[in-house]
Amino acid sequence: MSSERLATLLDEYAELEKRLADPAIHADQGTARRVGRRYAELVPLHKAAGELEQARSDLAAARELAAEDPSFAAEAEAIAATLPELEERLAELLIPRDPHDAKDVIVEIKAGEGGEESALFAGDLLRMYTRYAERHGWLTEVLDAQDSDLGGVKDVSLAIKTKGVPEGGNGVWSRLKWEGGVHRVQRVPVTESQGRIHTSAAGVLVLPEAEEVDVTIDPNELRIDVFRSSGPGGQSVNTTDSAVRITHVPTGIVVSCQNEKSQLQNREQAMRILRARLLAAAQEQADAAASDARKAQVRTVDRSERIRTYNFPQNRITDHRIGYTAYNLDLALAGELDGVLDALAEADRAARLAGEPELGRR
């Protein structure tokens, strides 16, 4: 256990506590939220360190008493038996955590090959994440969407955020960060008259939502175009050029939004998505620079390997990264994802304790 790291983090906790007690910090809600999130991340560590320190103090007192009165020996043994668990819990909390765990996310879902069936499946994934968010009391907001003719979605960007400061610093990212990749579905499409099972896929991209302080964007490096929004089949849904396309020239990243009727609103939504993509790109570069032997986090819908299969005939959901299989696909699509997400979190925790790269960064 690193005593230096523990001391540093406990000093940081004390400093954050002082800052939050100062009424002046709440004049800037953005700063207050960031400080509050970091403070929430350190609360479990502060509590665990306090419990361990108290247990050690109690043990020393009990042993001192036992030297004079043997009846205290049993109490000393009982206290000593609690120390390994407390030390293990503190050691786990001292392992560097994902710096984005407290953040909200933007989930992008894109239909892949498979035409309307893929778009319908993308719509199923959108509902699945929306219902999961509702179960956790999170807020959802569709930033942009391109619907398909049969009620699916070709492309959608969904913002998911916690209400207030997440407990323990465990925000939406801490739960959904492993969802990025190719999701495969096996079922009889509604467009199939012969009853044959087809396989199609949709891509999911999960990005930690970046705040303005996380990413610096030079307005001179942006190319902003406006155009007229259109719905399925090219039907006009707007009579003004309110849709916005933003190109970040240095990286070539292009973001477009057309959901809102106001050009200003569409621009704000597009900037939110752009900041998230730039933050993810910067993280990938940092990961690659930190270790050439480790793959940088890949979070694009072009990933060749599938991460999960949804088999409707067998009511089966399988996560191929950890060998997880459950026969409750109907419940998962209704938003009951904690089974597979808990399994992914446990696999990630075990990897970090063993000193291996985090799940998704191998």
Side-chain angles (χ1 to χ4, degrees):
M1 185 184 301
S2 172
S3 57
E4 290 185 5
R5 175 169 168 76
L6 176 59
T8 299
L9 292 175
L10 291 178
D11 286 344
E12 182 184 0
Y13 172 89
E15 178 60 31
L16 293 172
E17 192 170 43
K18 288 181 182 178
R19 292 186 65 186
L20 289 172
D22 183 356
I25 194 175
H26 300 287
D28 183 343
Q29 289 301 312
T31 299
R33 182 173 172 83
R34 286 191 299 276
V35 173
R37 281 179 169 175
R38 179 56 178 163
Y39 177 78
E41 289 179 10
L42 295 177
V43 165
L45 176 73
H46 178 264
K47 181 181 179 181
E51 290 177 353
L52 179 57
E53 183 180 2
Q54 184 62 54
R56 286 173 173 169
S57 176
D58 291 345
L59 177 60
R63 283 177 171 169
E64 185 176 336
L65 291 171
E68 300 177 2
D69 185 349
S71 65
F72 284 97
E75 181 180 348
E77 290 180 6
I79 296 174
T82 67
L83 292 184
E85 182 181 346
L86 292 172
E87 290 170 346
E88 183 179 352
R89 188 198 315 168
L90 184 58
E92 184 176 335
L93 290 169
L94 281 171
I95 297 174
R97 62 183 292 166
D98 187 326
H100 300 314
D101 271 353
K103 287 187 177 293
D104 300 324
V105 305
I106 292 176
V107 179
E108 298 184 9
I109 305 171
K110 300 179 185 293
E113 296 180 1
E116 279 294 342
E117 167 60 11
S118 179
L120 288 170
F121 177 52
D124 291 337
L125 293 177
L126 172 62
R127 284 185 291 276
M128 180 179 75
Y129 292 127
T130 301
R131 289 168 179 170
Y132 182 73
E134 290 172 351
R135 289 175 180 273
H136 285 262
W138 297 337
L139 302 174
T140 61
E141 177 188 5
V142 174
L143 302 180
D144 193 56
Q146 296 181 37
D147 298 330
S148 70
D149 293 328
L150 295 183
V153 290
K154 298 177 182 177
D155 192 343
V156 62
S157 296
L158 177 72
I160 306 178
K161 60 175 56 182
T162 58
K163 296 179 181 177
V165 176
E167 183 178 352
N170 295 314
V172 184
W173 173 260
S174 71
R175 292 299 285 170
L176 296 185
K177 59 185 173 183
W178 300 292
E179 291 300 287
V182 176
H183 294 240
R184 184 178 70 167
V185 62
Q186 297 172 325
R187 65 182 175 189
V188 178
V190 295
T191 55
E192 170 60 56
S193 59
Q194 302 299 318
R196 294 173 295 186
I197 296 174
H198 284 224
T199 298
S200 60
V204 174
L205 180 67
V206 183
L207 305 169
E209 180 154 13
E211 299 181 47
E212 292 189 24
V213 296
D214 296 326
V215 178
T216 301
I217 300 177
D218 185 347
N220 296 321
E221 295 178 341
L222 300 179
R223 185 171 70 245
I224 301 176
D225 303 304
V226 296
F227 57 98
R228 186 160 298 178
S229 303
S230 61
Q235 289 184 331
S236 175
V237 295
N238 229 328
T239 57
T240 61
D241 291 337
S242 60
V244 174
R245 181 185 300 110
I246 299 179
T247 303
H248 186 249
V249 177
T251 61
I253 294 175
V254 180
V255 178
S256 62
C257 278
Q258 62 175 7
N259 262 33
E260 304 296 337
K261 294 182 180 180
S262 160
Q263 185 181 120
L264 179 60
Q265 288 176 312
N266 281 324
R267 177 170 173 161
E268 290 175 351
Q269 306 288 49
M271 287 298 293
R272 287 175 65 183
I273 298 173
L274 177 60
R275 279 195 293 268
R277 290 189 185 178
L278 288 173
L279 180 63
Q283 184 65 56
E284 286 186 15
Q285 291 177 358
D287 287 344
S291 174
D292 292 335
R294 185 181 74 189
K295 290 183 179 179
Q297 177 175 261
V298 179
R299 293 196 177 276
T300 71
V301 299
D302 297 325
R303 287 176 63 176
S304 58
E305 75 275 15
R306 64 187 185 278
I307 65 166
R308 191 174 299 153
T309 295
Y310 304 74
N311 184 293
F312 276 70
Q314 298 178 19
N315 196 37
R316 170 172 54 84
I317 180 171
T318 299
D319 194 288
H320 304 286
R321 294 164 294 182
I322 57 174
Y324 173 92
T325 295
Y327 293 87
N328 61 350
L329 176 57
D330 53 339
L331 297 177
L333 290 174
E336 295 187 21
L337 281 173
D338 281 327
V340 62
L341 295 181
D342 285 345
L344 286 162
E346 178 55 32
D348 180 69
R349 187 187 75 86
R352 288 187 294 110
L353 284 172
E356 298 174 1
E358 296 172 37
L359 186 67
R361 292 191 180 188
R362 299 176 186 176

